[in-house]
Structures are given as structure tokens and as C-alpha cells.
Amino acid sequence: NAKRRLARPHDLSEQLESRTLLTGNVQVSLSGAYAQITGDAENNEFEVVVNNGSIVVRGLNGTTINQGTTAFTLATGSTTFAGSLTASLGAGDDIATVGPGITFGGNVSIAGEGGADTFRMRTGSFNGNMSLMGGDGASSIVVDGATVGGRLSVSGTGAMVVGITNST
């Protein structure tokens, strides 16, 4: 009768460091013809522009894209994005610029939360609906040289300055 020695269980788990999004970061994802931009709670500034013949999202003034400095490509070799674009900017003082020279086949929606947000929709074609929603801070919304094929909706819960010029 050999006595068995039972192994004593050891705690093999290790406490990992807590991870949070860096401040000044914008997450961009693309699923088929649907692009989603999500800002963190800090001040963010980004633009959706044509760069070297492709449509990209790039951070400005310290804002990172997907925690890096590389622009995110929405459409390669084209100035047309066939799908829809949705941006939820978060609670900081955010600046979002779209265009010039981009054609969107689907809807474009940009929403701020808190903070003083600025949206600039520059020369371009928006074949679907365009929805621009300022948050509870002071918002500045500019639509200049845009052709909107669907409905244009501008709203906000805070003080707003809205300028629509040279647009159809």
C-alpha cells in the first residue's frame, strides 16, 4: 500500500495590468460598406480626406487612429466610399472634418456628446442622408459646398452655430 502524495494545487494565475484607451485616440473600423469612427472621452481631432487618390481617416494635433499614427484607409484608389459612415465622438472638445472631394454612397452621421464640438463638411457629394448632432456643449457645424441627395438633419442639445453655404 503505497501512500499517494497528492499534489498541492498552486496558484498559477498572474495579475495583469489594467488597460484603457489612450487619451486622444479614435477607433476606426470598416465592416463591408460600413465605417465606424469612435472617439474617446478626451479632445480628438481627425479628418476624412482624399490622400494620394484614396479616402483615409487621419488624426491631427496629437489624436491617434487605432492607437497609432498611421492613417486608416476607407477606400483605396478611389474618391468614392460606397457605404455609410457613422462617427460617435465622445465627451471631449472634438473636431471632425470630412472632405473635400469625397462622394459617399450611403448615409453619413456624426454625433458629439459633451464638450465643444466642431464639424466641417466640405465640398463633396452625400448621396444618402446626412445627420449632424452636436452634443450638450457649444457646437459649431459648417456645411460648405456639399450636395446632399437625401435629408440633411442638424441638431444638438447645447448652444449651436450652424453655417450652410454653397450647398444643395
PDB file of all heavy atoms in Angstrom, residues 2 5-6 14 44 50 78 85 99 105 109 144 154 159:
ATOM      1  N   ALA A   2       1.139   1.653  -1.143  1.00  0.00           N
ATOM      2  CA  ALA A   2       1.944   2.882  -1.246  1.00  0.00           C
ATOM      3  C   ALA A   2       1.037   4.070  -1.000  1.00  0.00           C
ATOM      4  O   ALA A   2      -0.056   4.145  -1.526  1.00  0.00           O
ATOM      5  CB  ALA A   2       2.604   2.985  -2.605  1.00  0.00           C
ATOM      6  N   ARG A   5       0.876  10.662  -2.611  1.00  0.00           N
ATOM      7  CA  ARG A   5       1.014  12.039  -2.183  1.00  0.00           C
ATOM      8  C   ARG A   5       0.243  12.895  -3.187  1.00  0.00           C
ATOM      9  O   ARG A   5       0.494  12.832  -4.381  1.00  0.00           O
ATOM     10  CB  ARG A   5       2.482  12.425  -2.200  1.00  0.00           C
ATOM     11  CG  ARG A   5       2.708  13.769  -1.663  1.00  0.00           C
ATOM     12  CD  ARG A   5       4.157  14.057  -1.719  1.00  0.00           C
ATOM     13  NE  ARG A   5       4.599  14.497  -0.424  1.00  0.00           N
ATOM     14  CZ  ARG A   5       5.784  14.948  -0.173  1.00  0.00           C
ATOM     15  NH1 ARG A   5       6.692  14.936  -1.120  1.00  0.00           N
ATOM     16  NH2 ARG A   5       6.113  15.366   1.003  1.00  0.00           N
ATOM     17  N   LEU A   6      -0.686  13.618  -2.697  1.00  0.00           N
ATOM     18  CA  LEU A   6      -1.477  14.476  -3.562  1.00  0.00           C
ATOM     19  C   LEU A   6      -0.746  15.782  -3.776  1.00  0.00           C
ATOM     20  O   LEU A   6      -0.237  16.380  -2.827  1.00  0.00           O
ATOM     21  CB  LEU A   6      -2.851  14.754  -2.961  1.00  0.00           C
ATOM     22  CG  LEU A   6      -3.743  13.530  -2.796  1.00  0.00           C
ATOM     23  CD1 LEU A   6      -5.029  13.913  -2.080  1.00  0.00           C
ATOM     24  CD2 LEU A   6      -4.057  12.931  -4.151  1.00  0.00           C
ATOM     25  N   GLU A  14      -1.733  34.977 -12.846  1.00  0.00           N
ATOM     26  CA  GLU A  14      -0.902  36.169 -12.684  1.00  0.00           C
ATOM     27  C   GLU A  14      -1.756  37.401 -12.910  1.00  0.00           C
ATOM     28  O   GLU A  14      -2.543  37.450 -13.853  1.00  0.00           O
ATOM     29  CB  GLU A  14       0.218  36.140 -13.735  1.00  0.00           C
ATOM     30  CG  GLU A  14       1.153  37.310 -13.656  1.00  0.00           C
ATOM     31  CD  GLU A  14       2.237  37.228 -14.721  1.00  0.00           C
ATOM     32  OE1 GLU A  14       2.514  36.126 -15.219  1.00  0.00           O
ATOM     33  OE2 GLU A  14       2.789  38.275 -15.056  1.00  0.00           O
ATOM     34  N   ASN A  44     -10.413  65.172 -29.365  1.00  0.00           N
ATOM     35  CA  ASN A  44      -9.927  64.475 -30.555  1.00  0.00           C
ATOM     36  C   ASN A  44     -10.103  65.366 -31.769  1.00  0.00           C
ATOM     37  O   ASN A  44     -11.069  66.119 -31.857  1.00  0.00           O
ATOM     38  CB  ASN A  44     -10.714  63.180 -30.787  1.00  0.00           C
ATOM     39  CG  ASN A  44     -10.527  62.179 -29.683  1.00  0.00           C
ATOM     40  OD1 ASN A  44      -9.423  61.754 -29.422  1.00  0.00           O
ATOM     41  ND2 ASN A  44     -11.608  61.813 -29.003  1.00  0.00           N
ATOM     42  N   VAL A  50      -9.220  62.819 -48.978  1.00  0.00           N
ATOM     43  CA  VAL A  50      -8.572  62.105 -50.072  1.00  0.00           C
ATOM     44  C   VAL A  50      -7.077  62.372 -49.950  1.00  0.00           C
ATOM     45  O   VAL A  50      -6.640  63.520 -49.888  1.00  0.00           O
ATOM     46  CB  VAL A  50      -9.098  62.583 -51.442  1.00  0.00           C
ATOM     47  CG1 VAL A  50      -8.321  61.907 -52.571  1.00  0.00           C
ATOM     48  CG2 VAL A  50     -10.585  62.309 -51.569  1.00  0.00           C
ATOM     49  N   SER A  78      -9.667  55.456 -54.847  1.00  0.00           N
ATOM     50  CA  SER A  78     -10.967  55.996 -55.206  1.00  0.00           C
ATOM     51  C   SER A  78     -11.293  57.193 -54.331  1.00  0.00           C
ATOM     52  O   SER A  78     -10.882  57.270 -53.177  1.00  0.00           O
ATOM     53  CB  SER A  78     -12.045  54.924 -55.019  1.00  0.00           C
ATOM     54  OG  SER A  78     -13.326  55.446 -55.327  1.00  0.00           O
ATOM     55  N   LEU A  85     -21.065  56.061 -43.261  1.00  0.00           N
ATOM     56  CA  LEU A  85     -20.071  56.458 -42.264  1.00  0.00           C
ATOM     57  C   LEU A  85     -20.802  56.955 -41.028  1.00  0.00           C
ATOM     58  O   LEU A  85     -21.679  57.823 -41.122  1.00  0.00           O
ATOM     59  CB  LEU A  85     -19.187  57.573 -42.818  1.00  0.00           C
ATOM     60  CG  LEU A  85     -18.231  58.253 -41.830  1.00  0.00           C
ATOM     61  CD1 LEU A  85     -17.105  57.296 -41.446  1.00  0.00           C
ATOM     62  CD2 LEU A  85     -17.660  59.526 -42.429  1.00  0.00           C
ATOM     63  N   GLY A  99     -13.961  65.695 -46.083  1.00  0.00           N
ATOM     64  CA  GLY A  99     -13.775  66.273 -47.407  1.00  0.00           C
ATOM     65  C   GLY A  99     -12.601  67.222 -47.425  1.00  0.00           C
ATOM     66  O   GLY A  99     -11.866  67.327 -46.453  1.00  0.00           O
ATOM     67  N   GLY A 105     -21.779  57.073 -50.896  1.00  0.00           N
ATOM     68  CA  GLY A 105     -22.956  56.425 -51.452  1.00  0.00           C
ATOM     69  C   GLY A 105     -24.064  56.243 -50.441  1.00  0.00           C
ATOM     70  O   GLY A 105     -25.235  56.240 -50.787  1.00  0.00           O
ATOM     71  N   SER A 109     -23.380  60.080 -40.659  1.00  0.00           N
ATOM     72  CA  SER A 109     -23.896  60.536 -39.369  1.00  0.00           C
ATOM     73  C   SER A 109     -22.721  60.832 -38.443  1.00  0.00           C
ATOM     74  O   SER A 109     -21.863  59.974 -38.226  1.00  0.00           O
ATOM     75  CB  SER A 109     -24.785  59.451 -38.753  1.00  0.00           C
ATOM     76  OG  SER A 109     -25.196  59.824 -37.459  1.00  0.00           O
ATOM     77  N   ASP A 144     -20.263  73.222 -46.246  1.00  0.00           N
ATOM     78  CA  ASP A 144     -19.853  74.154 -47.287  1.00  0.00           C
ATOM     79  C   ASP A 144     -19.580  73.399 -48.591  1.00  0.00           C
ATOM     80  O   ASP A 144     -18.700  72.540 -48.639  1.00  0.00           O
ATOM     81  CB  ASP A 144     -18.606  74.916 -46.859  1.00  0.00           C
ATOM     82  CG  ASP A 144     -18.165  75.957 -47.874  1.00  0.00           C
ATOM     83  OD1 ASP A 144     -19.010  76.422 -48.668  1.00  0.00           O
ATOM     84  OD2 ASP A 144     -16.965  76.294 -47.896  1.00  0.00           O
ATOM     85  N   VAL A 154     -29.705  68.643 -38.792  1.00  0.00           N
ATOM     86  CA  VAL A 154     -28.743  69.261 -37.889  1.00  0.00           C
ATOM     87  C   VAL A 154     -29.448  69.469 -36.562  1.00  0.00           C
ATOM     88  O   VAL A 154     -30.517  70.080 -36.509  1.00  0.00           O
ATOM     89  CB  VAL A 154     -28.233  70.612 -38.443  1.00  0.00           C
ATOM     90  CG1 VAL A 154     -27.272  71.264 -37.477  1.00  0.00           C
ATOM     91  CG2 VAL A 154     -27.573  70.411 -39.807  1.00  0.00           C
ATOM     92  N   ALA A 159     -25.646  74.956 -27.014  1.00  0.00           N
ATOM     93  CA  ALA A 159     -25.619  76.123 -27.901  1.00  0.00           C
ATOM     94  C   ALA A 159     -24.987  75.720 -29.227  1.00  0.00           C
ATOM     95  O   ALA A 159     -24.024  74.963 -29.256  1.00  0.00           O
ATOM     96  CB  ALA A 159     -24.813  77.245 -27.257  1.00  0.00           C
TER      97      ALA A 159
END
